[in-house]
């Protein structure tokens, strides 16, 4: 918390993180070349994206060294997004129409 | 993180600071001129500017309401056409909700009180605070433009596809509300950071005034829900401008999806409106009962619980909208869960009054009115949460009466209570206690006359947003209209005596209610920088069993801790906070 | 309790009403008991513990776990009862019996159209048999409407992009009002209909004669009936006053200015076109909001309406 | 670090009167930015929710329609944004080490990469407009045999459009940072605007990290 202790990443480390992200990008494109059956292709794509986002948040945005409260905010917003979509799907996926919709 | 070795071993000098009575220099006269007001970053002045704005919009919304009630005196046309009527009820709803209720307590009263209650000199981002006020003004200008360039007749809910096909300036209006959302977000953001980072030495989480717990919960809702409204209204605006069709069935979209998005914000928004009211009630009940609050943590945590569960219940606005039975079941169940923390609060407040020393001053009268009316609002909410009954009552006057009991009987009463409570602190003037109670009585009678008949009408099937109605409802409508006029008289009286107080009111002492809370331990009106010392807190804000002198402590420094970089004040404050 | 429910609620005329009303009364009575208790406490405390001097000392009561748990758990139990009760009632309303008599409902701004299995279409009047479950399959041609019969305690939104349904079983012959409860524009409050419950035999005979009853009328009489039945008069007055659409009075034979700036003489062809394709030529000063009656009115009926309009000078 | 920049520690003209010290001010600003980012996530969340709901309704539509999106350029743009994130991180590092020149150079590279991103986006858009792939009502393309194809592209345009708007705002912010840096406003004791703009920029990157597979990589 003190002004004297802001984490400073080394240039080498930052480059390492960047390269890891490039590799993950190539990977996420590469997995579409091998046909993974539904719905696992979506799962894999999202999983890689989540890993990339976590890496960016932790090492570029310095959450790894930062106050835990900031991490909590990030997680909380993701959680509330999932609430929005999760509960909305409870409706949209389970609608029973008396006649098939048009 | 600072470690113990770094803690300076310097001695802190804590002294007693008795607030100055009738100060000559205070925040109202330290900077002069209109320009100084318009560019001020002082949270108190910004709060007052908000207060004036919300008062203005309350007046506009109120006049619109009286017009509506007058039109409804008879079943057929009185003096408005259907189109005008539809525009008027849309504006009444939109103005009251977006321009009055949402900013009323957080932005107006909250801005004024929050830093004072923390013993801070200002909110964390004073310029951002001013910016959010101007964003509010810009949003308001957009809305006013919309009114004069075609009007809007969609209802404040802007349901598609009606809103995407009807005439008028819907896009301008939604854009105005979109902009307004940012004002709300920035206020919430500012408050959260301020509460986290700018507490005075000794204000630990368990000594935080309950008003701030209320504002904290409100701010959380503001930052988490408002962006969804923003994107929804942006999509709706695009729907009007570019016909993107996501919500418009004519182009392949789904209108019920719009309702999900809209209520994901607008239901929590109900709690943006009411939760800060809870905070005010806790403050006032404790002060005027001169007694420690009953169940501090129960009240504090129930605010957070309401804020959280409030996010999970939006679908109860859509029980008949054609959503799946599964969703209906989940939403209905969760809706009832909100009732529990709300009930806990009511019981805790009653328990605080038990064996207290109750002084029925005007703010306390409003809070008792709040308790009664809000309880009715709550119980009728249970009625509407019950699925099979809601199928019958949905979109009838029962719903109208319910939310007016919650919003007006709850929030507006809490707002009036808070306004009367902090009025002496804001302006250093007292108002007429006699007229204050008369007005409260008139509003109470008028309010119940207006909205009780609406419960009966609604149960009998009178749908809302009706310009004409069938003859059997006329007696109820007329009774309701007369009640609305009476209520109007009550508000005119309030305006009159508050104006009188501003111009000719008696001077107020620094702590006219004998409160232990921190904002009363500075002069009335406060200094430009709130306190002339950095306050030190050792007791909770409701510890009425402890002597007043224990609430008037501060750090003694040569420069009173203002304007300059103060070595001493700094180190002590930081180490105290670390401990917290 | 019955008198309370009689005062608050409309008459119960369907099999679904009883359960709804019972829950309504239960919540009302329970709430009233709580409300009286709370109000009494507010008034009693304010009087009993009123401030006697500025130096009053109050006891330090910070919390009381037993009490707090009590007033959390009792309401919790009550609301769970209400939830279960409400949910079962709702499921009854959401699940039509298999042998239901099915009627198609179409909501248009601003009228209700009812299509019966034999092809007959009525506007503004829903005829149903008593003691027989009736299932309405509903859709809208424009914006969202909501179909509400207070006497039956049923309501459901009518959507433009899919079908929704509701069902009821009427218990008493007679008439009940139908409201639109989803705001849909200028004549929202006039978008009403009447539910007419017949005995089973009456309903059968009504259904058989419904299409042919009009044959005994003169074209003008028929036209007059049709304009009311098809909710034309919701928007078009017959006395010259301006509603959502131009008044029928003095319309025929006049020169009507159009939104496009042209004028058109109001003759048989223009009226016929306006009924079947209302958006083709919009009269100046009015919104293009009229629904099409193609498929609802046949040639004979359109002619009758034209004859009727001719008589309104 | 405090030893090397003792003189700079004295420069406290950035400190606002209601804060006790720079540190409190810095932490407050960062907390404020994180809260703002939370609102951003929920702002985009609405669009993602619309995306997911329609995808759950019409999975086949998404498979068909995404073939119209060019995976190659999408991937290049992902790389560009990741690169710009890296340079922003480097810029902050430079500021922390008092290397003002490094700070300015890194900001320049970031701005350049952001422009590259926008230019690629521009070509992608114009190509689609050329084919008649407009959002909603104006959709005229006939290459996709699905009646809701217009809805997919409405969602596509809204998502990438709002994201693009954020990139433009980011460019503006970074140009402003360059000006301030040239005036010598930043040093190791005060670089709050660089830090919080950096946080914003990384979030814009993260959003794109999700948009890329969701829009371009559906088989």
């Amino acid at each position: 918390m003190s002004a004297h202790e802001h984490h400073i990443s080394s240039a080498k480390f930052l480059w390492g993180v960047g390269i890891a992200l490039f590799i993950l990008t190539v990977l996420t494109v590469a997995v579409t070349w091998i046909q993974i059956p539904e719905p696992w292709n979506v799962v894999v794509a999202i999983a890689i994206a989540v890993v990339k986002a976590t890496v960016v948040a932790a090492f570029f945005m310095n959450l790894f060294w930062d106050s835990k409260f900031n991490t909590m905010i990030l997680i909380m917003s993701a959680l509330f997004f999932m609430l929005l979509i999760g509960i909305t799907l409870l409706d949209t996926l389970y609608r029973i129409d008396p006649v098939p919709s048009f | 993180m600072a470690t113990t070795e770094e803690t300076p071993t310097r001695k802190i000098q804590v002294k007693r600071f008795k607030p100055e009575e009738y100060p000559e220099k205070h925040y109202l006269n330290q900077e002069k001129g209109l320009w100084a007001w318009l560019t001020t970053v002082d949270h108190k002045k910004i709060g007052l500017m908000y207060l004036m704005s919300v008062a203005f919009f309350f007046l506009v919304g109120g006049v619109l309401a009286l017009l509506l009630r007058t039109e409804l005196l008879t079943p057929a046309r009185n003096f408005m056409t259907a189109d005008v009527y539809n525009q008027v009820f849309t504006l009444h709803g939109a103005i009251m909700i977006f321009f009055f209720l949402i900013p009323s307590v957080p932005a107006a009263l909250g801005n004024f009180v929050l830093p004072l209650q923390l013993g801070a000199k200002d909110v964390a981002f004073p310029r951002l605070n001013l910016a959010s006020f101007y964003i509010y003004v810009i949003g308001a200008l957009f809305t006013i433009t919309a009114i004069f360039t075609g009007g809007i007749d969609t209802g404040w809910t802007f349901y598609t596809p009606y809103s995407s096909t009807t005439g008028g300036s819907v896009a301008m209006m939604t854009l105005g509300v979109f902009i307004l959302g940012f004002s709300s977000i920035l206020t919430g953001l500012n408050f959260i950071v301020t509460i986290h980072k700018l507490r005075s030495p000794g204000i630990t989480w368990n000594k935080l005034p309950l008003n701030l717990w209320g504002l904290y919960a409100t701010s959380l809702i503001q930052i988490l829900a408002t962006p969804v409204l923003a994107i929804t209204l942006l999509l709706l605006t695009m729907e009007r401008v570019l016909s993107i069709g996501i919500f418009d069935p004519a182009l392949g979209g789904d209108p019920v999806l719009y309702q999900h998005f809209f209520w994901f914000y607008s239901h929590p928004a109900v709690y943006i409106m009411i939760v800060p009211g809870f905070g005010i009630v806790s403050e006032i009940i404790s002060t005027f009962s001169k007694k420690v609050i009953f169940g501090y943590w129960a009240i504090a945590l129930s605010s957070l619980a309401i804020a959280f569960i409030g996010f999970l219940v939006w679908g109860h606005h859509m029980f008949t909208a054609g959503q799946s039975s599964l969703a209906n079941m989940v939403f209905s169940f969760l809706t009832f869960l909100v009732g529990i923390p709300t009930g806990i609060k009511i019981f805790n407040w009653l328990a605080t009054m038990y064996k207290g020393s109750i002084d029925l001053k005007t703010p306390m009268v409003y809070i008792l009115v709040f308790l009664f009316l809000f309880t009715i609002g709550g119980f009728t909410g249970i009625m509407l949460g019950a699925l099979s009954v809601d199928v019958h009552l949905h979109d009838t006057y029962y719903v109208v009466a319910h939310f007016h009991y919650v919003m007006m009987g709850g929030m507006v009463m809490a707002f009036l209570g808070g306004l009367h409570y902090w009025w002496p602190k804001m302006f250093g003037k007292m108002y007429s206690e006699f007229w204050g109670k008369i007005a409260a009585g008139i509003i109470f009678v008028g309010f119940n006359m207006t909205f009780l008949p609406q419960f009966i009408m609604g149960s009998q099937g009178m749908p809302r947003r009706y310009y004409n109605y069938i003859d059997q409802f006329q007696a109820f409508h007329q009774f309701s209209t007369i009640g609305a006029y009476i209520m109007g008289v009550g508000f005119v009286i309030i305006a009159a005596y508050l104006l009188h107080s501003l111009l000719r009111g008696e001077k107020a002492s620094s702590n006219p209610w004998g409160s232990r809370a921190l904002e009363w331990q500075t002069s009335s009106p406060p200094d430009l920088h709130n306190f002339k010392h950095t306050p030190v807190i050792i007791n909770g804000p409701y510890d009425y069993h402890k002597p007043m002198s224990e609430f008037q402590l501060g750090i003694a420094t040569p420069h009173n801790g203002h304007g300059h970089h103060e070595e001493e004040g700094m180190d002590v404050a930081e180490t105290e906070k670390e401990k917290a | 309790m019955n008198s309370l429910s009689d005062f608050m609620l409309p008459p119960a005329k369907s099999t679904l009403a009883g359960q709804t009303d019972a829950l309504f009364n239960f919540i009302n009575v329970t709430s009233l008991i709580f409300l009286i208790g709370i109000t009494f406490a507010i008034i009693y405390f304010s009087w009993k513990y009123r401030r006697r001097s500025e130096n009053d000392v109050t006891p330090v009561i910070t919390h009381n776990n037993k009490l707090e748990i009590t007033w959390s758990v009792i309401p919790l139990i009550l609301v769970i009862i209400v939830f279960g009760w409400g949910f079962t009632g709702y499921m009854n309303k959401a699940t039509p019996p298999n042998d239901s008599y099915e009627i198609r409902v179409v909501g248009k701004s601003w009228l209700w159209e009812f299509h019966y299995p034999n092809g007959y279409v009525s506007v503004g009047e829903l005829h149903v048999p008593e003691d027989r479950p009736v299932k309405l399959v509903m859709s809208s041609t424009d914006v969202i409407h909501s179909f509400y019969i207070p006497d039956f305690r049923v309501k459901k939104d009518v959507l433009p992009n899919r079908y929704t349904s509701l069902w009821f079983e009427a218990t008493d012959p007679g008439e009940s009002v139908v409201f639109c409860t989803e705001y849909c524009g200028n004549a929202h409050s006039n978008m009403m209909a009447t539910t007419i419950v017949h005995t089973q035999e009456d309903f059968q005979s009504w259904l058989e004669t419904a299409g042919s009853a009009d044959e005994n009328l003169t074209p003008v009489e028929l036209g007059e009936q049709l304009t009311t039945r098809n909710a034309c008069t919701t928007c078009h007055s017959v006395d010259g006053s301006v509603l959502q659409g131009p008044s029928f009075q003095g319309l025929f034979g006049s020169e009507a200015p159009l939104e496009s700036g042209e004028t058109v003489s109001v003759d048989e062809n223009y009226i016929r076109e306006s009924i079947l394709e209302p958006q083709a030529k919009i009269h100046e000063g009015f919104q293009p909001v009229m629904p099409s009656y193609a498929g609802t009115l046949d040639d004979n009926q359109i002619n009758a309406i034209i004859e009727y309009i001719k008589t309104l000078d | 670090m405090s030893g090397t920049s003792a003189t700079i520690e004295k420069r406290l003209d950035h400190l606002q009167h209601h804060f006790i010290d720079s540190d409190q001010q810095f932490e407050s600003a960062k907390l404020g930015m994180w809260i703002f980012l939370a609102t951003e996530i929920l702002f985009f969340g609405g669009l993602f929710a619309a995306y997911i709901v329609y995808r759950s309704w019409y999975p086949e539509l998404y498979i068909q329609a995404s073939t119209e999106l060019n995976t190659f350029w999408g991937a290049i743009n992902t790389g560009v944004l990741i690169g710009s994130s890296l340079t922003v991180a480097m810029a902050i590092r430079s500021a922390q080490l008092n290397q003002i020149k490094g700070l300015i150079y890194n900001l320049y590279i970031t701005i350049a990469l952001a422009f590259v991103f926008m230019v690629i986006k521009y070509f992608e858009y114009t190509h689609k407009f050329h084919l008649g792939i407009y959002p909603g009502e104006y959709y005229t393309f006939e290459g996709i045999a699905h009646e809701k194809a217009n809805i997919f592209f409405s969602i596509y345009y809204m998502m990438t459009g709002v994201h693009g708007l954020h990139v433009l705002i980011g460019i503006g912010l970074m140009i402003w940072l360059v000006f301030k840096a040239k005036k010598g406003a930043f040093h190791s004791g005060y670089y709050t605007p660089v830090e919080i703009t950096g946080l914003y920029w990384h979030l814009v990157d993260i959003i794109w990290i999700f948009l890329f597979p969701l829009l371009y990589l559906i088989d």
Side-chain angles (χ1 to χ4, degrees), chain B residues 209-474:
Chain B
L210 287 167
N211 183 41
L212 297 189
W213 275 107
L215 284 175
Y216 188 76
T218 309
S219 304
L220 283 177
I221 308 173
Q222 280 179 314
I223 60 159
L224 290 170
T226 317
V228 178
L229 176 76
I231 192 67
T232 309
L233 291 181
L234 188 68
L235 284 170
L236 183 57
T237 311
M238 287 297 139
E239 196 83 57
R240 297 270 313 178
V241 179
L242 295 175
S243 305
I244 56 170
I246 294 177
F247 298 136
D248 189 348
L251 300 168
D254 185 54
V256 177
L257 190 63
Y258 170 83
Q259 296 174 22
H260 278 295
F261 280 19
F262 180 80
W263 289 113
F264 181 83
Y265 166 76
S266 293
H267 192 73
V270 172
Y271 298 103
I272 296 180
M273 302 175 216
I274 193 69
V275 171
F278 294 156
I280 294 177
V281 174
S282 309
E283 296 289 311
I284 293 180
I285 284 211
S286 174
T287 297
F288 290 92
S289 304
K290 220 178 176 183
K291 184 162 165 283
V292 64
I293 196 97
F294 183 91
Y296 174 88
W297 278 112
I299 296 181
L301 293 182
S302 62
S303 286
L304 289 180
I306 290 171
F308 177 70
I309 306 172
F311 272 94
L312 310 177
V313 302
W314 77 81
H316 66 218
H317 297 267
M318 301 160 59
F319 283 159
T320 65
Q323 72 179 351
S324 72
S325 295
L326 175 70
N328 276 348
M329 181 188 82
V330 172
F331 280 127
S332 170
F333 183 75
L334 293 168
T335 300
F336 286 119
L337 292 188
V338 186
I340 305 305
T342 317
I344 290 175
K345 277 181 188 290
I346 302 254
F347 291 127
N348 275 302
W349 290 326
L350 284 177
T352 305
M353 288 169 71
Y354 174 71
K355 287 196 173 171
S357 161
I358 297 169
D359 191 7
L360 283 182
K361 289 268 166 43
T362 309
M364 187 64 171
V365 171
Y366 276 112
I367 294 318
L368 298 184
V369 169
F370 166 95
L371 284 180
F372 177 76
L373 298 181
F374 182 72
T375 306
I376 296 179
F379 282 129
T380 51
I382 297 286
M383 184 76 91
L384 291 170
L387 271 167
S388 63
V389 181
D390 183 71
V391 168
H392 174 57
L393 296 176
H394 181 74
D395 269 343
T396 65
Y397 264 66
Y398 195 94
V399 178
V400 176
H402 159 71
F403 68 67
H404 279 92
Y405 263 86
V406 176
M407 293 291 103
M408 177 125 195
M411 184 56 176
V412 176
M413 294 306 139
F415 175 74
L416 288 173
L419 184 67
H420 285 84
Y421 179 60
W422 284 305
W423 185 268
K425 186 56 66 187
M426 287 175 169
F427 299 105
K429 298 280 182 69
M430 296 304 286
Y431 46 83
S432 160
E433 197 54 48
F434 172 77
W435 283 109
K437 281 177 198 155
I438 296 280
I442 290 176
I443 289 176
F444 178 73
V445 172
F447 179 85
N448 284 299
M449 276 182 71
T450 312
F451 294 108
L452 270 180
Q454 298 191 0
F455 279 126
I456 302 164
M457 264 194 271
S459 309
Q460 293 186 353
M462 168 78 209
R464 67 192 283 202
R465 295 174 169 180
Y466 261 32
Y467 165 68
N468 298 329
Y469 52 88
I470 55 178
D471 296 339
Q472 73 177 87
F473 298 119
Q474 188 173 8

Side-chain angles (χ1 to χ4, degrees), chain C:
Chain C
M1 187 133 146
N2 270 337
S3 58
L4 173 80
S5 134
D6 287 346
F7 180 58
M8 294 283 281
L9 292 165
K13 290 189 183 173
S14 84
T15 53
L16 296 166
Q19 200 182 17
T20 308
D21 294 0
L23 179 55
F24 182 85
N25 290 329
F26 172 76
I27 300 175
N28 262 342
V29 170
T30 321
S31 305
L32 209 60
I33 293 169
F34 271 97
L35 181 67
I36 290 170
I38 290 169
T39 313
F40 174 78
I42 295 173
I43 295 170
Y44 179 73
F45 287 173
S46 314
W47 175 77
K48 176 88 201 270
Y49 304 116
R50 64 188 180 279
R51 187 166 295 180
R52 286 155 211 266
S53 85
E54 283 310 307
N55 303 319
D56 281 358
V57 177
T58 54
V60 183
I61 311 170
T62 54
H63 61 284
N64 180 331
N65 288 343
K66 257 189 214 160
L67 204 59
E68 289 182 62
I69 289 170
T70 314
W71 70 44
S72 310
V73 171
I74 291 178
L76 185 65
I77 294 170
L78 284 172
V79 294
I80 287 177
I81 292 172
V82 171
F83 163 72
W85 196 338
F87 180 63
T88 45
Y90 169 79
M91 284 318 283
N92 279 344
K93 286 184 182 178
T95 332
N98 286 332
D99 58 341
S100 301
Y101 183 76
E102 204 173 297
I103 299 173
R104 277 276 288 119
V105 178
V106 179
K108 297 176 178 177
S109 297
W110 294 281
L111 57 90
W112 295 106
E113 231 175 61
F114 304 97
H115 299 245
Y116 299 85
N118 70 350
Y120 181 69
V121 180
S122 70
V123 177
E125 274 181 8
L126 169 63
H127 295 264
V128 292
E130 71 168 332
D131 295 333
R132 174 156 183 206
V134 175
K135 178 182 175 189
L136 306 181
V137 176
M138 311 186 289
S139 63
S140 159
T141 57
D142 37 53
V143 298
I144 302 177
H145 303 284
S146 190
F147 188 87
Y148 176 36
I149 308 177
D151 289 354
F152 297 171
R153 315 285 189 270
V154 291
K155 178 186 292 132
K156 191 82 171 188
D157 281 13
V158 179
L159 301 171
N161 63 330
R162 44 194 192 99
Y163 294 98
T164 53
S165 74
L166 63 75
W167 79 277
F168 54 81
E169 185 178 326
T171 52
D172 303 290
E175 295 190 359
S176 295
V177 66
V178 176
F179 290 119
C180 171
T181 52
E182 186 64 67
Y183 172 69
C184 56
N186 279 346
H188 168 53
S189 57
N190 293 335
M191 189 170 164
M192 294 192 281
T194 313
T195 313
I196 299 167
V197 183
H198 303 272
T199 60
Q200 302 238 2
E201 306 84 67
D202 283 359
F203 180 72
Q204 279 312 324
S205 56
W206 171 82
L207 205 56
E208 279 154 25
T209 55
S212 52
D214 298 341
E215 284 166 16
N216 307 326
L217 299 170
T218 66
V220 175
E221 284 170 337
L222 176 63
E224 184 173 3
Q225 277 203 7
L226 285 170
T227 51
T228 349
R229 243 199 269 153
N230 289 290
C232 308
T233 46
T234 304
C235 301
H236 303 278
S237 74
V238 291
D239 58 3
S241 57
V242 177
L243 301 173
Q244 269 52 254
S247 173
F248 285 155
Q249 195 187 38
L251 189 64
F252 193 84
S254 66
E255 292 288 318
L258 298 182
E259 278 291 309
S260 59
E262 299 159 39
T263 52
V264 67
S265 56
V266 180
D267 54 12
E268 284 88 347
N269 285 326
Y270 176 65
I271 294 180
R272 187 186 162 81
E273 183 188 48
S274 297
I275 291 173
L276 297 175
E277 281 178 69
Q279 322 306 354
K281 294 187 180 117
I282 300 293
H283 191 292
E284 190 183 7
F286 295 97
Q287 296 294 316
V289 286
M290 180 171 156
S292 163
Y293 281 81
T296 311
L297 295 171
D298 58 30
D299 282 353
N300 189 28
Q301 290 171 317
I302 293 173
N303 291 337
I305 290 173
I306 294 172
E307 289 307 310
Y308 170 61
I309 293 177
K310 279 183 186 171
T311 65
L312 298 166
D313 296 325

Side-chain angles (χ1 to χ4, degrees), chain D residues 137-154:
Chain D
E137 194 183 9
Y138 306 105
Y139 181 86
T140 52
F141 184 59
E142 284 173 357
I144 300 169
H146 196 290
E147 54 171 342
K148 306 266 182 183
N150 58 343
I151 299 288
F152 174 85
F153 285 102
S154 289

Side-chain angles (χ1 to χ4, degrees), chain D:
Chain D
M1 167 196 135
S2 56
T4 59
S5 55
T7 46
I8 289 159
E9 284 291 341
K10 293 283 169 226
R11 289 167 54 183
L12 289 162
D13 46 335
H14 59 272
L15 184 65
Q16 290 176 293
H17 81 284
H18 58 287
F19 287 111
I20 294 162
D21 57 15
S22 315
D23 217 30
Q24 193 191 23
Q25 182 169 336
F26 179 75
E27 290 296 329
S28 298
K30 206 156 68 169
L31 176 61
M33 194 62 201
W34 272 106
I35 294 171
F36 181 74
L37 296 188
T39 71
E40 285 282 12
I41 288 171
L42 279 148
F43 184 74
F44 278 99
L47 290 171
F48 278 100
Y51 172 95
I52 293 172
V53 167
Y54 277 98
R55 184 161 180 177
S56 72
W57 277 337
Y58 312 108
E60 72 290 349
L61 161 69
Y62 279 63
I63 292 171
Q64 289 174 36
S66 77
T67 52
E68 287 304 317
L69 303 179
N70 190 321
T71 310
F72 175 73
W73 288 114
I76 294 292
N77 254 350
T78 312
V80 167
L81 272 195
I82 288 174
S84 73
S85 250
L86 175 62
T87 54
V88 164
M90 295 295 284
I92 294 171
R93 179 185 143 79
S94 304
Q96 286 171 325
L97 295 175
N98 237 349
Q99 299 162 346
I100 305 306
K101 250 193 187 150
L103 166 66
I104 293 171
Y105 284 143
N106 275 308
L107 286 174
Y108 276 144
I109 302 172
T110 313
I111 294 168
L113 288 171
F115 268 113
V116 170
F117 178 88
M118 290 311 290
V119 167
I120 292 177
K121 235 10 317 130
Y122 171 79
F123 282 114
E124 282 190 82
Y125 271 28
T126 44
H127 174 67
K128 285 190 193 63
F129 291 158
H130 193 70
L131 289 175
I133 302 178
Y134 290 101
E137 194 183 9
Y138 306 105
Y139 181 86
T140 52
F141 184 59
E142 284 173 357
I144 300 169
H146 196 290
E147 54 171 342
K148 306 266 182 183
N150 58 343
I151 299 288
F152 174 85
F153 285 102
S154 289
I155 293 174
Y156 165 81
Y157 281 119
M158 282 309 293
M159 285 180 129
T160 54
V162 173
H163 178 263
L165 193 69
H166 279 79
V167 174
L168 286 179
I169 293 171
I171 292 174
L173 286 173
M174 267 169 308
I175 292 174
W176 171 70
L177 284 183
V178 169
F179 274 109
K180 293 253 311 187
K182 282 190 171 167
K183 277 199 216 151
F186 304 128
H187 49 82
S188 62
Y190 175 69
Y191 56 92
T192 314
V194 187
E195 170 85 19
I196 61 174
T197 309
L199 288 178
Y200 169 84
W201 191 254
H202 293 309
L203 186 88
V204 173
D205 184 22
I206 288 182
I207 301 284
W208 183 259
I209 285 176
F210 282 97
L211 286 181
F212 172 57
L214 286 179
L215 292 170
Y216 292 80
L217 295 181
I218 314 170
D219 282 62

